Structure formats: structure tokens, C-alpha cells
Amino acid sequence: MSRIITLGNELLKNQSEIVTEFDKKIGEYTENMFGLLVRYNGIGLASVQIGDLIQVFVVSIPKDKPRVFINPEIIETSLEQDVYEEGCLSIPGINADVTRPSYVKIQAWNTRGRPFTLQAEGLLARVIQHEFDHLKGCLFIDRLHPDKKERLLNLYNKKNQKGK
Ligand code: NI
């Protein structure tokens, strides 16, 4: 099973590439990602977090089916926004309130290479936007005020030094 890379790894700042091949492998690949979600007790994971710069992310939130998004595009967002406390498996131990649109419409492909459109709100919309950001090289802390981001980075570094 793959390992999840964490803050400090430059890969997390990179743009992911479009997936062009839809064979059996992509299904096995996303199954592995769901396995990691269970293992790390997460609700969303993007490929870049396991070191692969491809436009894939998976979402698994309570009371919903597991969902795979390949080559996603967010095609609509609401003006209405929500504040919600986010975390990230690549920034363990750090949480912060992030403001994002409360509704999104997303277009993506499934593992069989078929396109679909999904309208999401609540937690699902939240996780979709967080994971979509990963494909652009953006982390949730990048969406915070620079002062707040710096405070969190200092806290993260302190915590990590203690662990060593
Ligand atoms: Ni994340």
C-alpha cells in the first residue's frame, strides 16, 4: 500500500496531469486509495498525496457511496459560502476554518472513462473542493490569510520536531 506524502514534499505544489488511459489499472488504483482512506480515517484523498501527479481523487463521506472523480472540472459554484473546519491527511494535526462556496456542480469521468455531472452541497461539496484544489497544487492552508497560514505552519513544524 502506498504512503501518504506530507507538507514539505514539493510534489504537493504541482499541477496534476489529465488521465488518458482507462483500463483495469485505474479501478485497482482507486480501490487502493479507498483502502488508504479507511486506514487513515480520512474522507477524501487526491492522487498527488500518494505521489502521483494525475487528476484523480476519491471521496468517501458518511451516509454516501464512495465516489471517484477523474479529470474533474468544477463548472458551477454558489455565491453563498460556508465556513467549515478542514484538515488534510498531508498536514496531520492541523485544522482550520476555511470559507468556500456551499454548492458546486462538478463534471468528471468515472473509472470506466464515462463522464458524469454531480451537484453537491454540504460536506460533499466541501470535500470535493478540497480535493479538487490538490490537483491544482493548492492546500487548504493556502486559502487562509497569510498570517494565519504562517501561524499554522509554525505550529506544524513545532509538532513535527517534537515527534523526531
Ligand atoms: Ni487534503
Side-chain angles (χ1 to χ4, degrees):
M1 224 181 228
S2 321
R3 281 190 55 209
I4 293 179
I5 62 174
T6 52
L7 193 66
N9 189 318
E10 291 295 306
L11 218 54
L12 289 170
K13 291 181 182 171
N14 284 287
Q15 285 252 359
S16 290
E17 305 282 335
I18 282 184
V19 174
T20 51
E21 274 185 49
F22 290 86
D23 52 21
K24 228 179 168 180
K25 267 190 246 165
I26 194 83
E28 288 165 12
Y29 181 80
T30 51
E31 279 311 306
N32 172 51
M33 290 176 81
F34 284 118
L36 284 166
L37 276 190
V38 173
R39 191 214 253 180
Y40 287 91
N41 201 17
I43 52 177
L45 185 69
S47 280
V48 60
Q49 295 180 273
I50 51 172
D52 301 316
L53 287 172
I54 54 172
Q55 292 185 17
V56 178
F57 68 77
V58 299
V59 175
S60 182
I61 61 170
K63 294 177 193 162
D64 189 26
K65 60 176 185 179
R67 297 178 186 272
V68 176
F69 300 83
I70 302 172
N71 302 336
E73 285 298 335
I74 289 179
I75 53 179
E76 212 178 287
T77 54
S78 60
L79 290 176
E80 195 196 337
Q81 298 189 311
D82 282 336
V83 181
Y84 191 86
E85 191 183 62
E86 294 189 23
C88 180
L89 293 177
S90 291
I91 320 174
I94 299 294
N95 297 86
D97 282 344
V98 184
T99 306
R100 297 187 192 267
S102 43
Y103 158 93
V104 294
K105 189 172 180 180
I106 186 168
Q107 202 167 55
W109 294 356
N110 66 19
T111 52
R112 285 162 298 166
R114 298 210 184 97
F116 66 92
T117 310
L118 176 74
Q119 300 182 69
E121 52 187 9
L123 183 59
L124 184 57
R126 172 64 51 163
V127 183
I128 283 173
Q129 292 174 83
H130 176 114
E131 301 311 327
F132 183 78
D133 271 355
H134 273 299
L135 306 188
K136 308 280 181 197
C138 176
L139 300 170
F140 80 89
I141 53 171
D142 298 323
R143 294 211 168 261
L144 305 173
H145 187 280
D147 295 343
K148 172 88 180 173
K149 179 180 169 179
E150 203 188 314
R151 276 202 304 276
L152 287 176
L153 285 177
N154 288 337
L155 179 67
Y156 179 79
N157 290 334
K158 240 185 229 167
K159 279 188 175 185
N160 276 28
Q161 273 164 8
K162 265 185 199 162
K164 272 171 196 164

